Amino acid sequence: MTVSRVSSFQNGGKEHIELLGGKGAHLAEMTKAGLPVPPGFTITTDVCRHYYNNSRQLPSGLRDEIELALAELEKEQNRVFGGTDCPLLVSVRSGSVTSMPGMMDTILNLGLNDATVEGLAQQTNNRRFAYDCYRRLIQMYGSVVYDIEAIHFERVLQEEKQLQQCKDDQQLTEQSLVTLVHKFKRLIEQRTNKSFPQNVREQLQGAIEAVFLSWSSPRAKVYRKVHLIPDDQGTAVNVQAMVFGNRGSNSGTGVLFTRNPSTGEKVLFGEFLMNAQGEDVVGGTRTPIPIAALQDALPEVYAELSSCAAQLEKHYRDIQDIEFTIEDEKLYFLQTRSAKRNARAALKVAVDLVNEGMITKDEALMRIDVQHLNHLLHRSLQATADHVVIATGLPASPGAACGQAVFDADTAEEWKRAGKDVILVRLETTPEDIHGVIAAEGILTLRGGMTSHAAVVARGMGKPCVCGCEVLKIDEEQQQLIANDIVIREGDWLTLDGGSGQVIPGQLELKEADIFPELLLMLEWADQIRSLKVMANADSPLDARKAREFGAEGIGLCRTEHMFLSPMRVPIVQQMILAEKEIDRQVALNRLLPMQRYDFEEMFREMDGFPVTIRLLDPPLHEFLPNVEELTTRLALMRTSESDIHAERAELERMIRRVRELQETNPMLGQRGCRLGIMFPEIYEMQIEAIFQAALRCLCDGVTVQPQVMIPLVGHVNELHLLRKLVDQVAEQVLGHERRNCPYKVGTMIEVPRAALTAGEIARSADFFSFGTNDLTQMTFGYSRDDAEGKFLTHYVENKLLPHNPFQVLDTEGVGKLIEMAVIQGRSRNPLLTTSICGEHGGDVESIMFCQRVGLDYISCSPYRLPVARIAAAQAHIRMQWEMTLQEQAV
Ligand code: PEP
Ligand code: MG
């Protein structure tokens, strides 16, 4: 069934939500279900779109259609719109498709003028009531249609209350309300040079247009941006016969939730006010009463309300947020919608509804909002915390953190040792800052994107991180941070919200992560349902343990360069990189080998029975090279000092020269990944040796090991051929006859577009592909992953040149196409090939959906993102199944 652009509540239902908006669709649905709903009609979102697409003109013919609908309403109510005897009054309310509570406008009591108000007074035998309605109409009309700030009306109201010495609005006398009507009318005239319209049809047209216009009010626009609601969705307008909660002590109005939206508990929850209209409950002028008290005040109404609430919950199979009005002890429903609830309540309600047989496990899983889940799994800002945001950067690693600002890694470590919580603020982080990163509660950087060093490392550690916050200025000499004229000095408190990217001065109250039985149960259900495997990006035995705790089915990426990120190991790596002769490099490698072997061994043990994918060294060299300016300063100091030791000076000079030799103009496109392994095979040889020695030790202890050696940054099959041979040779040497018990695999990352384009060739030498979507995105777009976000990418996203930040949400149309192609080509040449993703997109919900669609075998992400990934993988599986069923039904 289709609905016309002016549609009575007798027609349509929840399936027409796109056109009728939430409120209109559910009013129609409730009418159909036989609930007491005041009659009315909805003007569809199509009309709203027409209004905006045609220089804010309503479509021709609409007026006649509204007239017809009004005539029906008049007949049904036995009243006349604009009639003086028995006037019909209506409310005019917005109704967007996606709920936007409080963001748009409402006008009540429309249809009153100087004549009809007297008619209402006579009909109800209550002149005070009639004038109360009239003053409310003029007040709302003035604010909504004429854009007069509400405070001006409030001021006049307060003056009258003071004059009459009354506390509450209901204490105002009939005479006071008549006075207020005059004063409000004058206020409108003074501020707009227009009169409050006495023609009720003019009132209606003004109200309808005002509701459409409120779709583009600044607050509605901001809300849509935050909640990703498309601008062209538009709002519907609902015109509904008025019922009056302000008609006396047996009338009232309220809001009811079918369950507690904060805890999920199955009890009616809400509040009401007697002798009041809707805006009194939400406006805060009077304190509403808990809903349970209605049982004493009007027991029969309460019983009816409870039973209808249960009926609505059952009908919608979800917790409902209901608006009701009682007019002279008669109950009416004005709205029902799925209740907004907090993360904890959402999970409890979903699990309870499954247990009550109302929904299936699949539906329960599909109802989880994974952004909500992030709040539960990490520390967050207390909802009540009032705060000033001085800057917003990239939400690089979720969770909130609070600490004293420090501007270098050494101080961070020192202060942490002294028992202080610190936030490390840096222009950007490098491996040399790692001890500071470890010590800090959270990290804030001015440069770097979602896949920059700070972001990747912080995510791996589950630490809140805001990066690429280029609006901030750091004065490193003065050790201070400046934003919006606010100066944060060393030691000043700073709070970060890594989920939203907000930087907040001061020490805010934080809420701890909240892992409770319903969440664990949901994760269990997700594991039963999903088909994508979920592995972890883990670089240490500790990470591996965490990964298992969070449900990883193996390690999908161990970035071996991260294993060197400790103050003890970084200098040895630098020694290895800066060595000029193989023999010198071998000295450093000999020191690194036992360290690597130990780590691998412990990781294999943690992952007993599960695959461990170890990526051979891929250090962007610039991240590991010592800082040349620091070396030069040290040299200068040495030259001026008395104790000028010749050998030390010579070594420093050599290091500076070597760093300069190794420096590259485009390090991310330079001597990285397998290129380094090919130029310096002894490095990879050491790593392979360490892997298989570790495997051998584990085998001796009965641990089941499944090493997967991964070659990074392959662009040409010959690179893989060469290095695969090296892996096999070293494995043979180390494992000897134990090779049979150690079924290892050799595979490659696909992160260079050429590798994706020639995947068929490459698959012949690879047991697995893992898509490194950080680099693949960098190289497909040609956007530097370290710089783009801070320079232009955020602007692109804000101005809708791109739908998302492609380093955060996979670009399915471009990068995705390469992946899809590589999977098809790869599998056609090697049917046993396994495929996965290990870039940061592996923890992103939308990207996981894409992975499911192209049939990857598993995703890999940092341990702290695993719960979200497990749920997202289940959601992706369910969505695909639903889509397939729909397709089958269509055929
Ligand atoms: C990638 O490029 O997606 C990847 C996982 O490797 P890295 O982030 O270490 O470059
Ligand atoms: Mg990479």
Side-chain angles (χ1 to χ4, degrees), residues 142 144 156 189 192 211 315 491 525 538 670 708 711 747 831 870 889:
V144 171
V156 177
E189 279 159 11
T192 64
V211 170
H315 181 76
W525 291 348
Q708 308 207 132
I711 314 294
R870 286 159 67 191
Q889 281 168 356

Side-chain angles (χ1 to χ4, degrees), residues 615 618 672 713 749 751 772 774-775 785:
R615 180 178 78 182
D618 175 19
R672 286 177 61 194
L713 229 71
M749 301 207 40
E751 49 188 344
N774 302 334
D775 274 310
R785 59 194 264 194

Side-chain angles (χ1 to χ4, degrees), residues 38-321:
F41 55 88
T42 303
I43 304 169
T44 62
T45 53
D46 258 352
V47 178
C48 182
R49 280 183 287 274
H50 175 102
Y51 185 70
Y52 279 99
N53 292 338
N54 292 275
S55 322
R56 310 203 168 178
Q57 294 293 320
L58 291 173
S60 66
L62 187 80
R63 224 178 248 225
D64 296 340
E65 288 164 44
I66 293 175
E67 274 308 317
L68 278 177
L70 266 177
E72 285 231 345
L73 200 55
E74 287 179 329
K75 209 158 90 198
E76 214 170 324
Q77 292 288 89
N78 204 15
R79 288 162 198 262
V80 178
F81 190 52
T84 45
D85 286 345
C86 224
L88 170 70
L89 305 191
V90 294
S91 63
V92 178
R93 297 171 204 254
S94 60
S96 51
V97 178
T98 316
S99 157
M100 293 170 57
M103 291 301 124
M104 284 176 293
D105 291 325
T106 291
I107 297 182
L108 304 180
N109 309 324
L110 199 127
L112 283 174
N113 57 23
D114 294 349
T116 56
V117 70
E118 292 301 341
L120 182 67
Q122 252 183 21
Q123 176 215 331
T124 56
N125 205 13
N126 190 342
R127 198 159 182 266
R128 186 203 170 278
F129 159 71
Y131 272 87
D132 185 36
C133 293
Y134 197 20
R135 70 95 190 162
R136 286 173 191 263
L137 167 64
I138 303 172
Q139 189 172 350
M140 281 191 183
Y141 204 89
S143 310
V144 171
V145 180
Y146 294 135
D147 224 7
I148 301 171
E149 280 179 75
I151 182 80
H152 298 295
F153 292 101
E154 262 320 305
R155 208 173 284 143
V156 177
L157 184 62
Q158 287 310 325
E159 278 165 14
E160 187 60 28
K161 283 198 318 202
Q162 264 171 12
L163 204 69
Q164 303 300 329
Q165 298 186 344
C166 46
K167 230 171 94 229
D168 292 330
D169 298 0
Q170 318 102 284
Q171 293 168 334
L172 286 168
T173 60
E174 175 190 320
Q175 191 45 50
S176 285
L177 293 164
V178 173
T179 310
L180 277 175
V181 164
H182 290 305
K183 288 190 174 168
F184 282 176
K185 283 204 275 190
R186 223 177 27 244
L187 177 70
I188 290 182
E189 279 159 11
Q190 282 164 353
R191 299 216 149 246
T192 64
N193 268 337
K194 289 182 199 152
S195 318
F196 171 74
Q198 290 295 310
N199 179 335
V200 294
R201 280 171 170 78
E202 195 187 321
Q203 282 179 13
L204 184 58
Q205 164 129 359
I208 291 170
E209 288 199 43
V211 170
F212 282 147
L213 284 172
S214 68
W215 176 252
S216 57
S217 69
R219 65 172 193 265
K221 280 186 179 165
V222 170
Y223 189 92
R224 286 204 293 278
K225 199 165 170 191
V226 171
H227 293 88
L228 307 176
I229 301 171
D231 283 337
D232 64 358
Q233 211 175 59
T235 180
V237 177
N238 299 290
V239 179
Q240 187 173 29
M242 281 296 300
V243 283
F244 298 97
N246 58 336
R247 203 161 158 177
S249 57
N250 280 342
S251 301
T253 189
V255 175
L256 173 79
F257 290 84
T258 51
R259 300 179 192 223
N260 185 323
S262 306
T263 62
E265 200 191 347
K266 195 178 176 183
V267 284
L268 289 189
F269 179 88
E271 44 195 25
F272 72 104
L273 275 174
M274 295 310 279
N275 198 8
Q277 280 198 329
E279 77 270 20
D280 301 323
V281 180
V282 287
T285 42
R286 286 163 61 191
T287 311
I289 305 157
I291 199 74
L294 186 64
Q295 196 161 15
D296 298 329
L298 296 170
E300 281 173 19
V301 173
Y302 182 81
E304 189 186 352
L305 185 62
S306 317
S307 107
C308 291
Q311 185 187 341
L312 279 173
E313 191 180 88
K314 203 160 164 210
H315 181 76
Y316 284 102
R317 305 185 312 128
D318 196 12
I319 163 174
Q320 295 296 296
D321 165 357

